[in-house]
Amino acid sequence: SGTEVTGISKFIFDVSDSLREETLTWVIVAALIGGVVFAFIKSPIAHKIWEENKLSMPMLGDFMTKMVVARFCRTFATLLAGGVTAVEAMKSAGPTAGSDKLAKAVEQAISDIEEGSPISNALEKSGLFPPMVTGMVAIGEESGALPELLDKVAEFFEEDVENTSRNLRAMI
């Protein structure tokens, strides 16, 4: 009573008054902002930014890397087991893994393989594949059991992704 409201309290009261008196204006502004954000998210620029950064983001990057590597390994293994050549299998598995960055790395790996490089070295050169993956690929190439070992790698990463998801859900 008689005390002047200042600072954050005054700001909250002013916003509250404005929302009551200018509801339509606030709704229109919110809709416009939402539309602009939605349009940006769907734009090629946003897609490019997301693809370039999603595998290196703090906390999420490791999770997403495991997801796309698991998909790549599973698809690659399935195609190899079905009799598709390694290069053709990689041409299909790269783009379906869920990462433009990984797909480009696989394209480069294919070029290296066509020039005589082992698959494991070509994948390792990209820096995107964990050492476990390239190590298992090397063993698979030497032993002739590449599809089976790729399946094991995919299974390992899929389980890791599932466990991480379960733990995140439990924390929330």
Side-chain angles (χ1 to χ4, degrees):
S1 64
T3 305
E4 189 174 322
V5 178
T6 60
I8 194 129
S9 297
K10 181 171 179 6
F11 174 75
I12 291 171
F13 288 137
D14 289 345
V15 169
S16 176
D17 290 342
S18 176
L19 281 168
R20 272 185 309 210
E21 294 168 9
E22 301 291 337
T23 304
L24 183 58
T25 303
W26 280 97
V27 169
I28 291 170
V29 167
L32 286 172
I33 291 171
V36 167
V37 168
F38 181 77
F40 176 73
I41 288 171
K42 294 293 182 184
S43 74
I45 294 167
H47 177 77
K48 185 178 180 205
I49 291 168
W50 172 248
E51 285 297 326
E52 287 175 357
N53 295 296
K54 74 180 182 184
L55 300 182
S56 57
M57 292 170 52
M59 295 193 310
L60 280 179
D62 188 48
F63 178 76
M64 292 187 150
T65 298
K66 289 174 183 176
M67 274 189 349
V68 298
V69 167
R71 270 190 226 126
F72 171 78
C73 290
R74 178 71 65 203
T75 305
F76 191 24
T78 302
L79 292 170
L80 287 174
V84 177
T85 66
V87 168
E88 289 303 314
M90 288 177 76
K91 284 180 182 175
S92 294
T96 60
S99 166
D100 293 352
K101 195 172 185 178
L102 185 124
K104 286 179 188 148
V106 170
E107 281 178 30
Q108 181 57 52
I110 290 168
S111 295
D112 294 346
I113 292 163
E114 290 174 335
E115 292 173 11
S117 178
I119 298 168
S120 57
N121 291 359
L123 294 177
E124 184 177 21
K125 186 176 164 184
S126 73
L128 286 177
F129 292 88
M132 179 190 141
V133 174
T134 56
M136 292 291 270
V137 169
I139 293 167
E141 284 179 289
E142 291 171 18
S143 67
L146 186 56
E148 294 83 359
L149 289 174
L150 283 168
D151 265 334
K152 296 278 186 206
V153 169
E155 190 175 309
F156 173 81
F157 282 113
E158 287 164 351
E159 285 177 17
D160 195 15
V161 165
E162 180 58 36
N163 289 336
T164 302
S165 304
R166 194 176 310 115
N167 292 341
L168 287 173
R169 283 192 303 266
M171 286 172 37
I172 298 171

